[in-house]
């Protein structure tokens, strides 16, 4: 007998060669195996007698006996052809396989076999081309043929056929699964109970049965996720945070010192945040605003107030480039104050203003000391660095830019230990910021119960960026246009998507998630290098072209970025790393290669990189689609409103792609179901009801177990 925690190595048919491959798919134990759900099903359910086979192209299944089988080699074509004759009571048909000579040894004459596949036609008549086959012994249920057959996410050496074998065997041996979903809910929503659901999702009787099972699991995951969010939230509310008094005079003066006037949305958001900070429990607010809507300054004002109240502020950003840029812009925006700002990333530390004895650049170690002593009041850095090594004297506010989820635990981590004098249960306030406009229900699912401030309005005087989809036929004139702009002294960004490593496009869908991070980076490097070669050698040989990709050291990236900023390069070819935040006012062209490969929300982010100076800016969406009429890309020409584009994007691609599963910590299945707002609402409601009736989930041991399992998963990431 198996149970969930049985490691896959213990299963029959899993040897030392396959175990690591399975692990690559995230399958370490029986539980992972059974929860490796099919991506889709091949419909082989049309079972017919041989004499009913009528048309080529049909997808059919037959059962019969092999009466003859032989393999011939065609040297000229370098392939083998295995030809079997199959008979049933009604007739005879041939089945043909290419380059699979071993089949001859499996399907010996007299074998009783089930075959499923496409009907093909040649001069000899109708035959089955490369059908799936399965020997029939006893009364066992069919696994690979004659039914809806599951097709799984695969990886090298792990085929769907192999997975079907492992899964169907494991299903037969599972003793007893505790159902995490309470009975009432199963009944209320008419979901299949767990055992049935797990069987149905792998080997369904019909598509509908499969869909029901999938819904059930999605509901279960969203429910669990919601419970966790609600519990997090509750835990947060039992914690204390330092109340920070909103000093209106002080803030008013600071705002006056800024080089621009705040928009109304910025004012309101600032007010909401400053009001939250006054409370003695931690703020949990999301500042959501389109690229360029001016989120940074809102965060800065909150940070300024916090520092003036004697507490430290940390500003976490996703990349080093962005950290440096934030550091520069915060330094310049706080000229009128004597705020002490520090930059701390994997590669460097800087301080502002400089003191008598040191330079702007200081050692990381010294920076850590200055943070620990409280001398540095506002720290900007990449999250990795800040979470790991830094001890604060008295942290009051954490600001997180462009990141989606940040829970209680991480906040606790930030506060490590040495704050002897303070209540251990005290945590900093949290402000997260994102440029991804997320519908509210979705936001609630991802972030839990949080408060949202919206920046809808852009600062005054922002130019409209002209966006054009460039089909293949207009490429040359677009290049000329770019050349002309550069002649006028402007600069351009070129973004290219990574080159996919696998061959068939169908496979990419299923496997791209599984490619290791490093392979992805290399695919990007290749894409960027190719584009760089093309642009610098063929198209713009007289220009200074630079490239930026994930394999460069942070220092190299910064150097290139700095040189681009200073006008040393005309054109910067890059992967999507420039996506977030970089500010280069003289860059007026954002050219995107194979734009159809990106989502609208992402394209919109790229576009936000230009239009930051006084010159008219352009976004050119190069596409390989011949007419360039792609409906999706055309939406970019029509609107500059990130919220409109995001809504469209969410509809087209679903939330998984839209938000990025990794960042959200939401399980895949729940993710794909997030377009189903009804399902989310239901799960949310039920989660609330459950907690209301039973705050510690005492009566729901299985659900509690599921919850801690999910928690564990998130922690291992
Ligand atoms: P995002 O919301 O994308 O993070 P930023 O905070 O980087 O946007 O702001 C984009 C640019 O707009 C910055 O150069 C910033 O100084 C400027 N900015 C912010 N608020 C205003 C405003 N009210 N008026 C004019 N410029 C502003
Ligand atoms: Mg920003």
């Amino acid at each position: 007998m198996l149970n969930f925690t049985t490691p896959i190595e213990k299963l029959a048919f899993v040897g030392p060669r396959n175990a690591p491959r399975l692990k690559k798919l995230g399958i370490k134990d029986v539980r992972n195996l059974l929860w490796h759900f099919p991506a889709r099903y091949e419909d082989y359910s049309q079972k017919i007698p041989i004499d009913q086979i009528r048309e080529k192209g049909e997808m059919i299944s037959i059962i019969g006996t092999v009466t003859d089988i032989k393999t011939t080699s065609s040297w000229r074509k370098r392939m083998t052809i295995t030809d079997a004759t199959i008979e049933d009571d009604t007739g005879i048909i041939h089945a043909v396989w290419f380059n699979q000579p071993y089949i001859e040894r499996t399907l010996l004459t007299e074998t009783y076999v089930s075959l499923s596949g496409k009907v093909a036609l040649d001069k000899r008549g109708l035959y089955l081309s490369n059908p799936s086959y399965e020997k029939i012994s006893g009364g066992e249920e069919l696994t690979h043929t004659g039914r809806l057959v599951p097709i799984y996410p695969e990886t090298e050496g792990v085929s769907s056929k192999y997975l079907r074998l492992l899964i169907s065997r494991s299903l037969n041996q599972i003793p007893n699964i505790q159902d995490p979903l309470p009975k009432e809910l199963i009944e209320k929503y008419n979901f299949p109970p767990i055992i049935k659901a797990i069987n149905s999702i792998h080997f369904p009787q019909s598509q509908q049965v499969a869909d029901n099972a999938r819904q059930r699991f999605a509901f279960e995951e969203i429910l669990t996720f919601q419970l966790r969010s609600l519990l997090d939230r509750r835990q947060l509310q039992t914690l204390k945070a330092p109340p920070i008094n909103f000093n209106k005079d002080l803030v008013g003066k600071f705002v006056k010192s800024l080089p621009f006037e705040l928009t109304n949305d910025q004012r309101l958001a600032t007010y909401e945040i400053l009001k939250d900070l006054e409370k003695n429990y931690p703020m949990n607010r999301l500042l959501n605003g389109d690229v360029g809507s001016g989120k940074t300054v809102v965060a800065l004002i909150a940070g300024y107030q916090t520092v003036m109240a004697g507490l430290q502020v940390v500003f976490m950003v996703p990349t080093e480039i962005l950290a440096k840029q934030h550091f520069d812009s915060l330094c310049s925006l706080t000229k009128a104050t004597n705020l002490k700002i520090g930059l701390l990333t994997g590669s460097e530390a800087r301080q502002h203003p400089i003191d008598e004895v040191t330079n702007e650049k200081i050692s990381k170690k010294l920076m850590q000391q200055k943070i620990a002593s409280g001398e540095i009041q506002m720290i900007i850095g990449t999250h990795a660095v800040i979470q790991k090594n830094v001890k604060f004297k008295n942290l009051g506010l954490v600001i997180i830019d462009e990141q989606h989820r940040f829970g209680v635990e991480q906040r606790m981590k930030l506060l490590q230990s040495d704050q002897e004098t303070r209540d251990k249960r005290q945590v900093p306030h949290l402000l997260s910021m994102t440029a991804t406009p997320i519908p509210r229900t979705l936001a609630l699912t991802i972030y839990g119960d949080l408060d949202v401030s919206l920046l809808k309005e852009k600062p005054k005087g922002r130019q409209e960026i002209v966006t054009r989809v460039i089909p293949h036929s207009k490429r040359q004139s677009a290049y000329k246009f770019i050349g002309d702009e550069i002649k006028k002294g402007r600069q351009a960004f070129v973004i290219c998507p990574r080159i996919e490593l696998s061959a068939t496009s169908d496979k990419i869908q299923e496997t791209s998630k599984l490619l290791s991070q490093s392979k992805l980076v290399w695919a990007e490097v290749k894409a960027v290098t190719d584009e760089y070669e093309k642009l610098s050698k063929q198209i713009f040989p007289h220009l200074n072209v630079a490239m930026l990709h994930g394999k460069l050291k942070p220092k190299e990236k910064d150097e290139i970025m700095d040189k681009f900023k200073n006008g040393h390069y005309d054109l910067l070819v890059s992967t999507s790393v420039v996506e977030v935040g970089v500010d280069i006012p003289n860059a007026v062209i954002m050219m995107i290669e194979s734009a159809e490969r990106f989502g609208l929300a992402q394209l919109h982010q790229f576009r936000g990189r230009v239009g930051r100076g006084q010159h008219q800016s352009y976004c050119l969406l190069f596409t390989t689609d011949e007419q360039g009429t792609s409906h999706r890309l055309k939406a970019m020409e029509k609107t500059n409103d990130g919220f409109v584009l995001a809504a469209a994007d969410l509809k087209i691609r679903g939330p998984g792609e839209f938000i990025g599963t990794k960042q959200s910590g939401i399980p895949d299945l729940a993710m794909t179901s997030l377009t189903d707002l009804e399902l989310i609402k239901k799960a949310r409601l039920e989660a609330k009801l459950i907690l209301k009736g039973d705050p510690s989930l005492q009566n729901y041991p299985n659900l509690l177990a599921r919850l801690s399992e999910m928690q564990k998963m998130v922690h291992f990431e």
Side-chain angles (χ1 to χ4, degrees), residues 515-547:
L515 291 175
S516 68
Q517 207 53 37
S518 81
K519 270 197 190 153
L520 288 183
V521 172
W522 280 115
E524 276 179 3
V525 173
K526 168 130 178 55
V528 169
T529 316
D530 288 356
E531 183 75 16
Y532 170 81
E533 295 279 314
K534 179 170 120 190
L535 292 177
S536 62
K537 297 209 170 119
Q538 296 166 25
I539 302 183
F540 301 116
H542 53 291
L543 297 182
N544 286 323
V545 185
M547 65 172 160

Side-chain angles (χ1 to χ4, degrees), residues 8-161:
I8 43 155
E9 286 90 345
K10 294 262 162 69
L11 301 181
F13 300 107
V14 180
R17 235 155 50 100
N18 282 334
R21 292 171 171 168
L22 286 164
K23 285 182 185 161
K24 230 166 136 190
L25 285 170
I27 304 174
K28 300 185 189 86
D29 57 23
V30 169
R31 151 109 209 176
N32 303 146
L33 179 69
L34 294 181
W35 260 254
H36 190 70
F37 292 160
R40 62 188 175 85
Y41 304 90
E42 198 73 76
D43 188 354
Y44 291 152
S45 57
Q46 205 203 147
K47 285 191 264 191
I48 56 176
I50 290 176
D51 72 345
Q52 301 278 305
I53 300 175
R54 297 271 149 76
E55 255 177 273
K56 80 167 196 190
E58 267 185 314
M59 193 74 102
I60 55 122
S61 296
I62 57 164
I63 288 181
T65 307
V66 180
T67 54
D68 187 28
I69 186 160
K70 60 176 175 296
T71 297
T72 50
S73 304
S74 159
W75 292 113
R76 207 163 41 89
K77 293 191 187 156
R78 289 170 185 279
M79 65 179 181
T80 68
I81 301 170
T82 304
D83 187 322
T85 314
I86 316 290
E87 248 183 86
D88 71 2
D89 296 344
T90 68
I92 294 182
I93 192 160
H94 285 267
V96 176
W97 292 273
F98 302 101
N99 289 332
Q100 297 171 65
Y102 53 85
I103 291 178
E104 190 183 338
R105 271 164 276 138
T106 316
L107 299 183
L108 302 171
T109 318
E110 295 302 313
T111 308
Y112 195 41
V113 66
S114 167
L115 295 170
S116 294
K118 263 217 174 102
V119 179
L121 179 68
D122 70 4
K123 8 185 213 324
R124 292 186 306 169
L126 294 168
Y127 68 100
L128 291 176
S129 167
N130 269 320
S132 299
Y133 58 91
E134 171 169 18
K135 284 200 256 187
I136 304 180
S137 44
E140 275 168 37
E141 239 185 88
L142 293 171
T143 308
H144 309 289
T145 59
R147 56 173 310 137
L148 282 185
V149 171
I151 308 295
Y152 294 100
E154 302 173 347
T155 187
E156 222 181 314
V158 180
S159 64
S160 283
K161 188 164 186 176

Side-chain angles (χ1 to χ4, degrees), residues 259-263 266 289-298 325-326 329 333 401-402 433-435 455 458-460 462 581 583 609 612:
F260 43 71
E261 274 204 20
L262 294 185
T263 64
Q266 282 174 319
D290 207 349
V291 233
S293 60
K295 295 184 288 293
T296 319
V297 70
V298 173
Q325 183 183 303
H326 270 60
S329 68
L333 288 170
D401 203 2
E402 308 297 348
M433 305 200 281
T434 179
L455 302 183
K458 293 252 172 91
K460 274 198 246 22
R462 281 285 154 80
D583 216 357
R609 297 302 115 222
R612 300 201 160 208

